[in-house]
């Protein structure tokens, strides 16, 4: 029961609970329904004794931690421990595809941690198999007014996403809709040096990238620069934009591969086989053949390496890619990345909105006596 209370306390913290009213003094009730001492401030979200909660951890490729921090012990873990008296034990951690594969193996063998973060497919699998807890009462009791207001801003679609057969089986995230759009981040200092104008079309993007490769924009006297940086998953554009993918190029053709969309006749069709996707792939082929795209992008594990090192003059990514540009500036203060939305041939900027929720915090199903 202590373990289960700890999980409830942790989930309450995650959904932005507010304990202000409980900590403001005044008369309150204790567990037996008697009036408690008004002089004693009680925090219902902090366990009286330390509790250990198990989980898995997904890491970003190339992730770096501050000195002294580890995956198991860092500022976030310490903050949660301080606020709730709950300590996380990470059973294992992995990155990218390795993480998902290991998680699926754990689910298949029912070897689950107390709490974990999963995608929608895994969430539905767990809910259907009865492997996770119903959190309906937890949410009703502990979610703060702010949390409920945020979910209400989605017309409660986020809560609906996390509901299975009438029960709230997980705590959903709210995807930032702006993450759907992909922009071309271009080295303006390189454009200025070569006398180039900002891109207004995908053809401009191709021409600028080719010039970055052929005209020695970094002044090294060597053919060592990259036009458009990418990485092994650059052609995977099914969801929100990622740093280093080619979603912005597909956008410029109104193409949305790996998604189901309405075609020109209004019928539902798989976008990967539509003419727009074929056109986009043709343009990508031509740009790659011309050297505008990193020749080794399909072998790159880390989408950031060539950008931060100053070798690449352009990459595609969402609005929050400014952090990567800032990292590049630390090594080279002259690096000046500027983002541009690339329209289609008619001058329209296209994008497809991402789902309102894509990830869910779930708690392992357990008996009341466990």
């Amino acid at each position: 029961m202590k373990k289960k209370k700890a999980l409830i306390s942790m989930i309450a913290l995650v959904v932005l609970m507010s304990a202000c009213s409980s900590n403001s003094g005044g008369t309150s009730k204790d567990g037996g329904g008697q009036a408690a001492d008004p002089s004693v401030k009680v925090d219902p979200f902090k366990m009286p004794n330390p509790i250990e909660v198990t989980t898995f951890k997904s890491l970003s490729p190339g992730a770096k931690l501050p000195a002294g921090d580890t995956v198991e012990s860092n500022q976030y873990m310490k903050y949660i421990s301080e606020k709730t008296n709950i300590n996380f034990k990470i059973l294992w951690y992995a990155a990218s595809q390795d993480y998902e594969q290991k998680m699926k193996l754990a689910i298949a063998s029912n070897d689950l941690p107390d709490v974990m973060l999963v995608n929608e497919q895994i969430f539905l699998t767990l809910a259907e198999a009865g492997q996770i807890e119903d959190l309906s009462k937890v949410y009703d009791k502990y979610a703060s007014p702010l949390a409920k207001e945020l979910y209400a801003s989605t017309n409660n679609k986020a809560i609906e996403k996390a509901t299975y057969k009438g029960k709230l089986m997980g705590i959903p995230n709210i995807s930032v809709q702006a993450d759907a759009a992909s922009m071309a981040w271009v080295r303006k200092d390189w454009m200025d040096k070569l006398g180039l104008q900002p891109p207004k079309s995908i053809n401009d993007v191709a021409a600028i990238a080719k010039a970055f490769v052929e005209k020695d924009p970094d002044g090294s006297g060597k053919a060592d620069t990259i036009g458009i940086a990418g990485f092994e998953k650059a052609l995977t554009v099914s969801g929100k934009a990622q740093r280093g993918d080619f979603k912005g190029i597909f956008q410029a053709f109104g193409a949305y591969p790996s998604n189901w969309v309405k075609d020109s006749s209004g019928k539902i069709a798989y976008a990967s086989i539509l003419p727009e996707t074929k056109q986009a792939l043709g343009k990508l082929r031509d740009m790659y053949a011309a050297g505008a795209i990193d020749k080794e992008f399909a072998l790159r594990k880390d989408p950031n390496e060539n950008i931060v090192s100053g070798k690449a003059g352009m990459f595609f990514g969402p609005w929050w890619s400014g952090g990567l540009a800032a990292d590049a500036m630390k090594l080279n203060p002259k690096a000046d990345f500027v983002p541009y939305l690339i329209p289609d041939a008619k001058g329209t900027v296209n994008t497809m909105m991402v789902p309102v929720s894509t990830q869910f915090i779930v708690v392992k199903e357990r008996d009341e006596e466990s």
Side-chain angles (χ1 to χ4, degrees), residues 22-23 40 60 80 114-115 131 176 179 186 207 226 268 271 277 310 321 330 336 342 348:
S22 299
N23 289 332
V40 178
S60 299
I80 292 176
D114 296 316
V115 62
Q131 292 175 278
V176 179
D179 282 356
V186 189
I226 293 171
I268 300 297
T277 300
S321 299
K330 290 178 182 178
D336 182 15
I342 308 302
T348 301

Side-chain angles (χ1 to χ4, degrees), residues 41-91:
K41 294 183 179 181
V42 178
D43 185 346
F45 302 108
K46 188 166 187 177
M47 304 304 295
N49 298 304
I51 297 293
E52 183 179 83
V53 175
T54 59
T55 190
F56 301 150
K57 177 67 177 175
S58 175
L59 293 180
S60 299
K64 297 179 181 179
L65 295 173
D69 280 3
T70 66
V71 175
E72 296 86 356
S73 178
N74 53 65
Q75 57 185 310
Y76 302 105
M77 307 274 266
K78 293 173 182 176
Y79 178 82
I80 292 176
S81 177
E82 176 186 341
K83 294 297 182 181
T84 67
N85 225 357
I86 298 172
N87 300 298
F88 282 95
K89 179 181 180 181
I90 298 178
L91 300 180

